[in-house]
Amino acid sequence: MKRTCTLIPIAALLNVVVQLCALPANACSVCESGDPLAVAGSAKLDAGQSQIALNYEYLTARARSHDDPLFIEELTQMTLRPVFVFSPWEPLSAVVQVPIVYKNFSETTEGYSPNRTRPTGLGDVDLGVRIFLVSEKDFDRNSWHRFGVSLGSSVPTGRNDAQKNGYRVDEHAQLGTGAFTPYAGLIYSFSQDPWNFFATVHAKAPLKNGYGYRYGSALLWSFAVEYRAIDRLSLGLGFDGRYALRDIRARTIVSNTGGFVAAATPMVKFNVYGTLWLTARAQLPFVTHLFEEQSVGPTVVVGAQYTIE
C-alpha cells in the first residue's frame, strides 16, 4: 500500500508532462537550456565510483525558413542518451554522453505537400568534466557546500552531410552540428537534509562547421530546489534558461534564430532499489523573447540512473 501511494505523485507528474507535449510545436535554432551536464545529476561521486544512466528526450520545434520565408520548418526530435560518469579521484567527475537521435523534419507551405526528412543515427557525443574546487561539510548542521567548474565540448560525430534528391538537407535536419561546441561554467550546490539546492551558469561557443554554418553562442543557466518527501521520493522545481546569439552562415546572420528563453522545470526522482533511481523532468517555457518568427515549446526528459559503488 505504501508503494502504491508513493507512485501516485510520479504518475500525476508524468500525466502533466504528456499533456504538455500535446501543445503546438514551437522552435529555436539550438533548443538546449540549463546545465549541459544535467543528465549526470547534481550529486558528487566519491573517488572510484561510477554511474550509468539512460535518458529519453523529446522536443519539438517550429520556425519560418531563412532560405525561403514562404516555408515553415517543423522538427520533432527524440533522443536516446546513454550517459557514463566516472570519478577517478575525489574532486573530479568525467561525463560521456552518447546520443542516438531520431528527427522528423518537414518544410511546408500552403498548397504543397510537406517535404519530409527522417534521419536516425548517432548524434554529437559530449565529453565533459566537473571539478569541485570546494567541498565543505558542516557536521553540526548536517549541511554540505560544494563549488566547482564544468568544462567540456560536444564532438562532431553526428552526420552533417545528409542529402535528399541530390541536395544537402537543412542544417537543423542533420544529425550533428558538424563542429566542436566547447562550453565552460560554474556550479554550486548546497545540501541540508531533506533540502537540496543546485545552481549552474555556462557559456557555450559553437565553432563553424565545414559548410560555413555556426550556431549562435549562448549563455545557459539553471537553478533548482529539491525536497525529499519520503525516503524514496524527491520532488523539485527549477528554472532553466538561455540567451543565444543568432546563427551565422557564411558571415551572414541567419534569421529566425537566437533569443531569450526562461523555463520552469518540475522534476521528480524515485528510488527503485539501492542506488537505482527513475527520473523525470520537463522544461516549460514561461518567458520568451526570440528573434523574428520562432518560439519554444516544452522539452521532456525521462530516464534511469544507477551508481556503482
Side-chain angles (χ1 to χ4, degrees):
M1 183 67 180
K2 181 179 179 181
R3 183 179 180 88
T4 302
C5 295
T6 300
L7 291 174
I8 290 175
I10 300 175
L13 178 63
L14 291 177
N15 180 63
V16 171
V17 165
V18 170
Q19 295 301 318
L20 286 166
C21 285
L23 295 174
N26 299 315
C28 52
S29 58
V30 180
C31 293
E32 180 183 24
S33 296
D35 182 9
L37 298 180
V39 291
S42 59
K44 185 177 78 68
L45 298 180
D46 295 330
Q49 281 189 323
S50 58
Q51 188 179 86
I52 56 175
L54 183 64
N55 291 296
Y56 168 80
E57 178 185 270
Y58 176 92
L59 62 85
T60 57
R62 183 175 182 270
R64 189 163 295 278
S65 171
H66 169 80
D67 297 320
D68 188 342
L70 294 178
F71 282 81
I72 296 295
E73 299 174 345
E74 295 183 319
L75 171 71
T76 297
Q77 178 173 306
M78 291 177 279
T79 304
L80 190 64
R81 193 186 308 271
V83 181
F84 307 93
V85 187
F86 176 65
S87 179
W89 61 86
E90 192 69 23
L92 174 68
S93 292
V95 184
V96 179
Q97 305 178 50
V98 186
I100 307 300
V101 181
Y102 165 80
K103 290 188 175 186
N104 185 348
F105 181 85
S106 68
E107 298 171 301
T108 60
T109 189
E110 187 175 353
Y112 291 87
S113 299
N115 179 26
R116 295 190 180 276
T117 305
R118 297 184 178 90
T120 303
L122 178 67
D124 288 347
V125 171
D126 188 284
L127 306 175
V129 295
R130 280 179 174 163
I131 305 172
F132 290 90
L133 305 175
V134 176
S135 183
E136 296 182 351
K137 186 169 185 178
D138 186 331
F139 290 95
D140 294 332
R141 297 183 177 181
N142 195 29
S143 62
W144 208 316
H145 293 268
R146 300 183 182 94
F147 173 78
V149 298
S150 292
L151 301 169
S153 177
S154 63
V155 182
T157 52
R159 186 178 179 184
N160 189 250
D161 60 356
Q163 295 185 358
K164 184 177 181 180
N165 300 325
Y167 295 93
R168 181 173 178 264
V169 300
D170 186 89
E171 193 70 44
H172 299 96
Q174 301 288 344
L175 290 173
T177 62
F180 288 88
T181 303
Y183 56 84
L186 303 175
I187 56 177
Y188 172 76
S189 66
F190 171 75
S191 301
Q192 188 170 25
D193 193 57
W195 294 95
N196 291 283
F197 172 76
F198 189 72
T200 71
V201 59
H202 288 81
K204 178 174 285 192
L207 304 183
K208 182 171 62 175
N209 66 22
Y211 295 90
Y213 197 97
R214 186 177 73 220
Y215 285 91
S217 298
L219 183 68
L220 312 172
W221 59 90
S222 180
F223 306 93
V225 176
E226 294 182 11
Y227 176 73
R228 185 171 57 83
I230 57 176
D231 286 342
R232 291 192 173 187
L233 179 67
S234 292
L235 304 174
L237 178 64
F239 295 94
D240 293 351
R242 75 172 181 276
Y243 179 80
L245 301 179
R246 293 174 173 88
D247 298 353
I248 301 291
R249 181 171 60 192
R251 299 184 180 180
T252 301
I253 290 176
V254 180
S255 59
N256 307 307
T257 62
F260 170 83
V261 177
T265 310
M267 59 192 75
V268 60
K269 297 180 180 179
F270 177 70
N271 180 238
V272 178
Y273 179 79
T275 59
L276 176 62
W277 290 80
L278 301 180
T279 63
R281 61 187 175 92
Q283 291 179 336
L284 312 176
F286 63 93
V287 176
T288 61
H289 182 71
L290 301 172
F291 303 134
E292 291 90 37
E293 190 172 341
Q294 53 164 335
S295 55
V296 293
T299 297
V300 178
V301 181
V302 295
Q305 184 182 82
Y306 179 71
T307 301
I308 303 172
E309 299 179 334

